[in-house]
Amino acid sequence: QVKENLLSCKMLLHCKRDELRKLWIEGIEHKHVLNLLDEIENIKQVPQKLEQCMASKRYLNATDMLVSAVDSLEGPLLQVEGLSDLRLELHSKKMNLHLVLIDELHRHLYIKSTNRVGQRGKDRARLGSLVKDASPVPLMDVTNLSTPRKFLETSQFSTPGSSSMRDSSLLEIKEDTDLDPEENSAAFMGILIKGLAKLKKIPETVKAIQDRLEQELKQIVKRSTTQVADNGYQRGENISQENQPR
């Protein structure tokens, strides 16, 4: 009798186990559906958040958000027909984002860096006029200016493990949401490079820099010549006025 009771209990437990397994599988399915719905809700907000990030020049956040959204739309959410328009829109934005990043990179490489030199020259010229020093304006000291090459330590270019060191320094770059993103030009360019790497557009970036190099350098010479000429003309005017008899 005990053996029969044990066998019947065993059969009943088996039946219960099948029901429990079915309920467990249904729970997993519902949880997965809820996760997909949450992901869809988040992705629907991506265009608005992307616009805000681009307006505030938080390019790394924008790139991460866009790449993640496109991967989701072309992966787990590929069969969701209601997201087809959003999928096309975000894919188009992803294809064009690297052009914005390249333009920003060129602006900092060629315009922002030379503006700092020109501003320093103006400040010195103004200081020279205040003390009524007729000596020539001293040469601009550009050795302490932050340049893209100084973004990496010079030792990294000579050591055998330089590539891994450069990779690690690039990985450590993060955006500070409290500060002006363009305050530190070198860090900002590092963020742009990291964003372009996430978009897998480094070859296009290198080609764009090579293609625009001559044109940008000519523009630097043109702007610098204009600044020097204007400063020289202004200084000549000041000296001529000082030397005029009453």
Side-chain angles (χ1 to χ4, degrees), residues 25 45 59-60 105 113 145 160 219:
I25 290 172
Q45 298 172 9
Y59 292 121
L60 195 55
L105 186 61
S113 55
L145 287 174
Q219 288 297 322

Side-chain angles (χ1 to χ4, degrees), residues 77-116:
L77 302 177
L78 184 61
Q79 305 301 324
V80 183
E81 292 297 330
L83 297 174
S84 55
D85 291 342
L86 184 61
R87 188 182 295 111
L88 289 172
E89 180 188 351
L90 292 182
H91 190 70
S92 172
K93 286 181 183 294
K94 184 184 174 186
M95 294 299 292
N96 294 322
L97 179 59
H98 75 283
L99 299 175
V100 178
L101 298 186
I102 290 173
D103 285 340
E104 286 288 332
L105 186 61
H106 274 88
R107 190 167 64 82
H108 273 262
L109 273 173
Y110 299 109
I111 297 176
K112 290 278 286 187
S113 55
T114 53
N115 278 353
R116 288 198 301 274

Side-chain angles (χ1 to χ4, degrees), residues 115-236:
N115 278 353
R116 288 198 301 274
V117 180
Q119 189 59 43
R120 183 173 292 191
K122 286 179 182 177
D123 292 342
R124 290 189 177 183
R126 196 179 299 116
L127 184 63
S129 64
L130 286 174
V131 297
K132 299 191 183 306
D133 181 16
S135 60
V137 179
L139 291 173
M140 299 174 203
D141 179 19
V142 297
T143 54
N144 293 323
L145 287 174
S146 62
T147 59
R149 192 167 182 84
K150 289 179 184 176
F151 178 62
L152 300 168
E153 293 181 4
T154 52
S155 60
Q156 294 181 15
F157 293 98
S158 56
T159 54
S162 60
S163 60
S164 61
M165 293 174 73
R166 284 198 292 269
D167 291 342
S168 63
S169 66
L170 194 61
L171 289 171
E172 290 167 5
I173 299 169
K174 292 180 181 176
E175 278 183 321
D176 191 341
T177 53
D178 298 329
L179 300 175
D180 180 8
E182 296 188 83
E183 187 68 30
N184 185 340
S185 225
F188 186 70
M189 284 190 281
I191 286 169
L192 292 173
I193 294 293
K194 190 170 182 179
L196 288 162
K198 285 176 180 288
L199 292 169
K200 297 181 173 60
K201 294 291 184 181
I202 294 294
E204 288 85 346
T205 305
V206 174
K207 187 176 185 306
I209 290 174
Q210 288 176 339
D211 291 344
R212 292 166 61 172
L213 180 62
E214 184 178 353
Q215 173 191 349
E216 295 285 357
L217 290 177
K218 283 180 178 177
Q219 288 297 322
I220 287 177
V221 174
K222 186 176 179 181
R223 288 195 302 271
S224 304
T225 306
T226 306
Q227 283 181 0
V228 170
D230 289 347
N231 290 343
Y233 179 76
Q234 185 63 41
R235 189 172 179 78

